[in-house]
């Protein structure tokens, strides 16, 4: 068993701290300073975002819906669902991603395929193939 106090895990602003990673998922703590944001983005996995401390505004990109949320609020996003996070105060978030890595995530590519992809990219850059 592992355990963490999410309120005290060292997580300097904009430097996400990976707590644990398995094939089933990844848990990450991240801090945002007031006014900081995670600009419009998406992930390859199903994502759960919990506000641990502070206040954020969650913006759902597809609808433009804006939700003010404080500690204890949980959001769930489908893989590929776009969203933005804006910190209204200094905030701390827990991000859960599952499965890890999700389909289409660069980390899901086996190492031998990555090596071939790099070689093919280099060949295209130099006019080979």
């Amino acid at each position: 068993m592992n355990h963490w106090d999410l309120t005290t895990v060292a997580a300097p602003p904009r430097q996400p701290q990976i707590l644990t990673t398995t094939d089933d998922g990844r848990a990450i703590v991240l801090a945002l300073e007031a006014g900081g944001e995670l600009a419009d983005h998406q992930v390859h996995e199903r994502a759960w975002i919990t506000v641990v401390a502070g206040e954020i505004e969650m913006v759902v990109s597809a609808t433009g819906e804006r939700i003010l949320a404080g500690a204890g609020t949980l959001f769930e996003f489908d893989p590929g669902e776009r969203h933005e996070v804006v910190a209204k105060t200094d905030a701390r978030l827990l991000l859960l991603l599952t499965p890890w890595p999700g389909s289409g995530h660069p980390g899901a590519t086996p190492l031998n395929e990555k090596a071939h992809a790099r070689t093919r990219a280099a060949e295209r850059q130099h006019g080979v193939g």
Side-chain angles (χ1 to χ4, degrees), residues 35-66:
E37 65 180 42
L38 299 174
D40 183 56
H41 67 285
Q42 66 187 22
V43 294
H44 296 276
E45 302 77 18
R46 177 165 300 281
W48 288 270
I49 300 171
T50 302
V51 181
V52 175
E55 186 176 67
I56 66 163
E57 181 177 51
M58 182 67 70
V59 182
V60 181
S61 302
T63 63
E65 182 179 11
R66 301 172 99 69

Side-chain angles (χ1 to χ4, degrees), residues 37-105:
E37 65 180 42
L38 299 174
D40 183 56
H41 67 285
Q42 66 187 22
V43 294
H44 296 276
E45 302 77 18
R46 177 165 300 281
W48 288 270
I49 300 171
T50 302
V51 181
V52 175
E55 186 176 67
I56 66 163
E57 181 177 51
M58 182 67 70
V59 182
V60 181
S61 302
T63 63
E65 182 179 11
R66 301 172 99 69
I67 303 163
L68 283 177
T73 305
L74 173 66
F75 295 93
E76 179 182 10
F77 293 94
D78 289 331
E81 188 173 358
R82 300 192 69 80
H83 57 279
E84 178 180 351
V85 179
V86 179
K88 295 302 190 177
T89 66
D90 289 351
R92 181 174 285 254
L93 308 173
L94 172 64
L95 173 61
L96 302 173
L97 301 170
T98 184
W100 181 259
S103 178
H105 189 282

